[in-house]
Amino acid sequence: MVVRLAFGGGRFEEVGSYSRAKRVGPFVAVAGTTAIEPSGRLHAPGDTYAQTVYAFGRIEQALKDVGAEMRHVVRTRAFLTDMRKAGEFARAHGELFAGIRPVTSAVEAGLTTPGMMIEIEVDAIIHGEDGKILY
């Protein structure tokens, strides 16, 4: 069975002993992902739409690192600091997942950095166009 890990260079990955993404067989989980840039700077403070697009870019790379693609995503979870901005998340999600249509949920939560608007997790199952599981 395939087991692969991906690391994003996050400051807590080593201390917290976790991976950005983990694949076991066809199943992939991606850890909560925010809009913190490699420099440590927050991308687009206060802009939920821009942070959503940025976080999904990081998620897409993590998926690729373990042999998966965005088309394999079956669930997304968003943690928003302000549910009044959920429409901005929904717009970005709709643009990125047109034709894929994973299930999703969103909840309001406190996040670690002022101006950080969203954190996103995804689950994926690597499968073919016919729905057959691929290893």
Side-chain angles (χ1 to χ4, degrees):
M1 181 168 295
V2 175
V3 176
R4 292 174 67 181
L5 303 175
F7 300 94
R11 64 184 186 215
F12 296 121
E13 287 177 4
E14 187 64 33
V15 172
S17 191
Y18 75 90
S19 307
R20 171 71 30 221
K22 184 170 185 173
R23 173 181 174 180
V24 178
F27 304 101
V28 180
V30 180
T33 303
T34 64
I36 298 291
E37 297 173 350
S39 67
R41 184 179 150 273
L42 178 63
H43 180 80
D47 187 333
T48 302
Y49 176 83
Q51 288 186 22
T52 299
V53 171
Y54 186 88
F56 274 127
R58 293 184 64 210
I59 288 166
E60 184 172 23
Q61 184 59 55
L63 289 167
K64 286 180 184 177
D65 289 347
V66 297
E69 301 174 15
M70 293 294 269
R71 67 184 180 89
H72 297 132
V73 173
V74 296
R75 174 182 295 278
T76 64
R77 292 178 199 86
F79 303 91
L80 297 134
T81 59
D82 184 350
M83 284 302 286
R84 294 172 295 183
K85 304 289 185 173
E88 294 176 38
F89 161 71
R91 180 168 57 102
H93 190 282
E95 292 167 3
L96 294 164
F97 288 104
I100 300 170
R101 303 182 72 89
V103 298
T104 192
S105 57
V107 298
E108 189 165 297
L111 298 176
T112 61
T113 303
M116 183 180 286
M117 304 304 293
I118 193 160
E119 182 171 336
I120 303 167
E121 301 176 337
V122 306
D123 298 316
I125 302 173
I126 300 172
H127 62 280
E129 294 298 324
D130 60 0
K132 288 186 180 178
I133 301 297
L134 303 175
Y135 291 89

